[in-house]
Amino acid sequence: MKKYKDLDCVLLVDDDISTNFIHRRIVENAEIKVDVKEITSAKEALDYLTYSGKYEDNIHAPKAGIIFLDINMPGMNGWDFIDEYKQLDEKHKARIIVVMLTTSLNPDDEQHAANVAEIATYLQKPLNKEAFANIADKFFKIIEE
């Protein structure tokens, strides 16, 4: 099982519980040593990253290395999350890779994502083991095999 430097946790941000469940299983089966945190709202994801709200006592929780972010969510959507994420103090977003993971077929969404520096890549759902492993290999250094 591989271990990567600064990849302690994968944050799955999707309002669909079954999608989060499937993506959790994919990440867990990818032979990469990492915790997985499922969150169903963009606001809650921001709270997790900033140790606020219900996460204020979680300062020892694993820091997210990759965020798989859905675009279409009720309330605060993925684009709203990115707008708020940009405003975070660097200590809360340092070394985090944000991946838009969506069912959107709108070419404007992909183009928009390509023009946002905070978004490392844009993928169509569902996530698969190969895509997850490729992202880990591309953005993180292996420290254990």
Side-chain angles (χ1 to χ4, degrees), residues 16-35:
D16 185 64
I17 294 169
S18 59
T19 297
N20 276 339
F21 175 80
I22 291 165
H23 289 162
R24 169 187 278 281
R25 297 297 304 221
I26 288 165
V27 169
E28 290 173 343
N29 289 322
E31 303 293 319
I32 294 174
K33 187 177 179 182
V34 64
D35 287 330

Side-chain angles (χ1 to χ4, degrees), residues 67-83:
I67 299 172
F68 287 106
L69 178 65
D70 186 28
I71 293 176
N72 298 312
M73 295 182 283
M76 180 183 280
N77 67 27
W79 300 120
D80 298 332
F81 171 90
I82 291 295
D83 289 341

Side-chain angles (χ1 to χ4, degrees), residues 46-65:
L46 290 166
D47 287 348
Y48 184 85
L49 295 176
T50 59
Y51 309 109
S52 55
K54 73 180 192 180
Y55 298 103
E56 66 184 336
D57 294 327
N58 274 9
I59 60 171
H60 300 295
K63 184 163 173 41

